[in-house]
Structure formats: C-alpha cells, structure tokens
Amino acid sequence: MSAFARWLAASACAALLGIAAPCRADDAVASASDADLVGAGFIRLPAWQGSRAHRDQLAPYVQAKLGDRITLSTDDGATLDLIMGEHLHGGLYGNYQWGRSHEDLGRLGGKVTSLSPRLNAGGYAEYDFSEAQNVGMNAAHDTLGAGAYFNLYAFTALPPIGRYEHGLQLQWQWMNGPAMRRFFGLSAVEAAALGVAPWQPGGGSQQMGLEYDGLIPLGRHLATVFSLSYARLLGNAEDSPLVRGFGTADQFTGSMALVYRFAP
C-alpha cells in the first residue's frame, strides 16, 4: 500500500470510529490547553514491528472531544465514556492498527507475509488523579482475526515552559498467541526462505515503551505537536528470529503535525 493510500485509510478509519481514546500522553498534552486540534503531519515509524529500518507516513491529526462522553484521536484510537465519574472513566474503546506491506518489508518482501491494517475494538478504564496525572488500561480484539491486545499506561504532565506544554507516558503491552504469531511468528515456508528456524510463539509481554509529547503554540489558533517514543520488545517478540536476524528489539518512533486549535 502506498503512503497516500495509507493516509486515506487512516483518515477513513478516524471518520468511521467517530469516538476516541483515553487521555494518554499525546492527547493529554492537547487536553491541557482544553482545545480541540485538527491538522496533518507525518509519522516516522519502524517499517514493520521489530524492523531496524523506518518509513515516513503521512497522517491526519485529530484530537477532539465530542460532548461529555466521546473523544477522538487519530494517534490513540477512540473511547466512549460510559462511567463519567469525577476521577474514574471507562467504556468502549477502538483503534486502528498499522500492518506491513510488501514495500514496507523491503528485502523480506515475498519471503515474509504482508499484513493488512486492522481495526481493534474493546474497552478501557482510566483513573485521573488530576488533570496532570492518570493511569489506565485498554483491552481490544482484532475485528477480523483472533488477535487480542492489552495495554497499561501511566501519564504525567511536566511543568509548562511558558506556553510550551509537554508530558511523559509509560506504557506496557501484552499480546495473545494469535497476535504474537501474526507479527512475530514465522511459518516453515517463511523460515526456509530466510534460512532460520520456524517460530510459533505463545502470548505474553510484547513491549515496554516511554513517550515524550509536546505542543508548541504558534499563535492563538495554530500550533505544532510532536512526539518521540522508544519501545523495547520483550519476551517472544524480542526472541523472534525475524527480529533477532533481520531487525532490532529497540523501536523508535517520532511524529510531528501542524494543527489548528479550536480554543474555547
């Protein structure tokens, strides 16, 4: 899939979801200004999960709250808050998951199976200690397959520097066996093509990550948002011959977007 086609897919996904994500690091930075954000930018992410190479991906940027219950984020997915407590929130969760194309796989293309993008759906719960700190979890299932995913996260805003807003998020992710095999497994045919042993892992910890996010105002309505994240693959993901022989367990991602702020 071309970069433009993936951008269209991400835009369509955001429109279809129409609901959004827990207040995690990047959207927590946005919420600190109490403004909805809409814009466009790019993401530099690993070409495939575990890859050493990267790809640049055009992407829309939306961080908006629709009423009291619904929030939309093209970075983190979507939630519908059914609890609406003073500190406790929770309800339905959905997210878009990147796949890997023949082009993304580079020299592994044709030897390793390409993966189509997917939608994951499930639920979430979050506890806000304050506007600046929260912890939460979400669990989701692949709507077109057997993959299941579980995430724990904790966010803290950092003291603002003038009008510059920033924060940190720590995240841990778990995958079940089908999800782990989808991204990190190797069939006998694939392994033979690569000259390595087959790998059919079970479920377990998939990665631990740390993300830094910032928002730089450029005026009353314009701003630049960015994020830098590092993730370390764990367990069966790190031990995959695909990662050990052709990639790396150290995963770096960065993004930047120019956004319009609908200030209250």
Side-chain angles (χ1 to χ4, degrees), residues 138-210:
N138 59 63
H141 196 279
D142 187 332
T143 57
L144 295 177
Y149 306 85
F150 179 75
N151 293 279
L152 293 175
Y153 59 89
F155 167 79
T156 183
L158 299 174
I161 303 173
R163 298 174 61 202
Y164 173 61
E165 302 162 9
H166 55 155
L168 286 173
Q169 177 185 252
L170 182 66
Q171 185 181 42
W172 170 79
Q173 179 168 289
W174 174 92
M175 288 181 172
N176 72 348
M180 192 74 76
R181 289 189 288 275
R182 182 169 191 259
F183 287 99
F184 302 103
L186 287 173
S187 68
V189 173
E190 291 172 320
L194 298 178
V196 298
W199 185 248
Q200 295 298 308
S205 295
Q206 185 257 327
Q207 70 176 32
M208 178 76 76
L210 180 66

Side-chain angles (χ1 to χ4, degrees), residues 30-246:
S31 70
S33 64
D34 196 26
D36 294 337
L37 307 178
V38 177
F42 72 93
I43 307 171
R44 183 167 179 80
L45 70 165
W48 40 271
Q49 287 201 42
S51 173
R52 185 178 290 109
H54 288 75
R55 71 174 190 251
D56 293 323
Q57 175 68 58
L58 296 174
Y61 188 97
V62 176
Q63 178 56 47
K65 188 171 183 179
L66 309 178
D68 294 330
R69 295 179 180 271
I70 296 171
T71 317
L72 172 64
S73 167
T74 47
D75 281 342
D76 291 329
T79 62
L80 172 62
D81 189 355
L82 301 177
I83 296 178
M84 298 216 29
E86 181 180 357
H87 296 284
L88 182 63
H89 305 276
L92 303 181
Y93 166 79
N95 207 348
Y96 177 86
Q97 184 180 66
W98 295 109
R100 63 188 186 205
S101 67
H102 188 285
E103 178 185 42
D104 297 333
L105 286 165
R107 64 191 179 96
L108 302 181
K111 299 178 181 180
V112 176
T113 304
S114 300
L115 302 175
S116 62
R118 296 287 181 87
L119 291 177
N120 295 333
Y124 85 102
E126 180 177 283
Y127 188 86
D128 298 335
F129 297 102
S130 67
E131 292 184 358
Q133 288 91 28
N134 60 53
V135 295
M137 55 168 281
N138 59 63
H141 196 279
D142 187 332
T143 57
L144 295 177
Y149 306 85
F150 179 75
N151 293 279
L152 293 175
Y153 59 89
F155 167 79
T156 183
L158 299 174
I161 303 173
R163 298 174 61 202
Y164 173 61
E165 302 162 9
H166 55 155
L168 286 173
Q169 177 185 252
L170 182 66
Q171 185 181 42
W172 170 79
Q173 179 168 289
W174 174 92
M175 288 181 172
N176 72 348
M180 192 74 76
R181 289 189 288 275
R182 182 169 191 259
F183 287 99
F184 302 103
L186 287 173
S187 68
V189 173
E190 291 172 320
L194 298 178
V196 298
W199 185 248
Q200 295 298 308
S205 295
Q206 185 257 327
Q207 70 176 32
M208 178 76 76
L210 180 66
E211 181 171 311
Y212 174 78
D213 300 272
L215 183 150
I216 306 171
L218 301 176
R220 173 171 170 76
H221 292 292
L222 288 180
T224 295
V225 293
F226 70 92
S227 69
L228 299 169
S229 68
Y230 165 75
R232 174 73 185 189
L233 298 182
L234 305 171
N236 288 329
E238 179 183 5
D239 292 337
S240 168
L242 183 62
V243 175
R244 287 190 175 274
F246 305 93

